[in-house]
Amino acid sequence: MCFEITDDIIKWIEEHRNDDTTKLRLSCRKKDDASVYEFAIMQIECRKKTAKKLHSTLQSSHFVFPTTLSAEQCTSDNLAEFHATLINEGETILDMTAGLGIDAFHLAQKAKRITAIDLNEDVAQALSINANALGITNFTGVNADSIEYLKNSTEHFDTIFIDPARRGDGGKRLFALADCQPNVMEFLDLIKQHCNKLIVKASPMLDATQVLRELPETTNLYAIGTRQECKEIVAVVDFKNPQDSPTLHCITMDDETFDFSFTLDNEISSTNNFGEIKEGMYLYEPYPAIMKLQPFKLISQQFNAIKLHQHTHLYASTEVIADFPGDCHKIERIYPFSSRTIKEVVKDYPRANVAVRNFILSADELRKRLKIKDDNKYRLYGVSVANGDRLLIVTTRI
């Protein structure tokens, strides 16, 4: 059962928000209204777990988590804010897999009206409670099977948003769209009958070619991430405005959002810029979203950056490239990789973070071989370069 949070519960949560929840459960177990206290304790745990992820949503003290799973699987405010940029002002929206509703609530800020569906009764009840808590009035929460809902509906939406469930039996992780629930591929024709545009959120474990193979009508494909990891892939299918070739967007969200966009034809027609790297040059490691969509030749050509090797996705330049879509490092030392030079490396740099790109050893194997300890001041790359040499490159972060 999903309880609406009353002022008394809010006060109790605030008084105990820093308490040990295990001890709280023991102390509340024999109370007459133990189920209410259990629900309040769950709110404390979920708010702690999502404090950073839901930094704006949790400004509402009346926001409800119907289950702990809702907190674990919900979209972050930052990602939901980006998803809202994919629709136009005044659209009608259907969210077929609303869950906690973070995407739906952000989409509602631009939509004329939004309908959000969830199969779980408690989760669907929480959608309406939370819409009210957030002051959203153009929102309808529905408890239903979203496929059956469409089969029995004559309504047409500007955009349908879907984030298929990626957990199978026993919590097994699923990746391919055809394996997730609902199966977008199986019901694509049905969905198409009810919308002008479809937005599908997919696993970051998928590669671009697989998504485009499963959704060949995709008009825009987004890899969205931070400077540390790719968070998700989002496919947009605009049925009313089809394209011969999709536009691919590498989105990196840090203090500001960086968008490197291209088409597959752009990448195919580009050429790598190979060359010699030297100490004192600058080394660039592309952001994870770039690594996911792989415009490797285009980056080399567009930024006039030296690519170390066809399969070594690091770049170099003599001057700093201010808008390069990746992290910049200064090359301090370059060593040929050999038994003789390993001792020299260890002597010069006894502490460094170790990474490898297209190298004969894994990062762990190289670290053990060097016998050095981690340190954030230096980053040591084991790489292969275009002439076939293997190098150890020591860098500092710019």
Side-chain angles (χ1 to χ4, degrees), residues 52-53 55 75-83 106 253:
K52 292 183 179 179
K53 188 160 67 168
H55 54 88
T75 302
S76 70
D77 281 326
N78 286 344
L79 288 173
E81 286 171 12
F82 179 81
H83 297 157
H106 284 275
M253 298 189 300

Side-chain angles (χ1 to χ4, degrees), residues 107-169:
L107 292 169
Q109 304 303 318
K110 291 180 69 176
K112 178 181 179 181
R113 58 181 174 82
I114 182 165
T115 302
I117 300 174
D118 200 273
L119 187 60
N120 182 291
E121 183 177 359
D122 287 344
V123 173
Q125 180 187 353
L127 286 171
S128 298
I129 292 172
N130 288 332
N132 183 62
L134 296 169
I136 299 171
T137 58
N138 59 341
F139 185 96
T140 302
V142 177
N143 176 214
D145 179 305
S146 57
I147 295 298
E148 294 303 315
Y149 180 91
L150 285 183
K151 287 179 179 179
N152 295 310
S153 174
T154 59
E155 193 167 7
H156 192 272
F157 300 89
D158 291 311
T159 296
I160 288 180
F161 182 93
I162 184 166
D163 178 6
R166 297 191 287 272
R167 293 280 185 174
D169 295 339

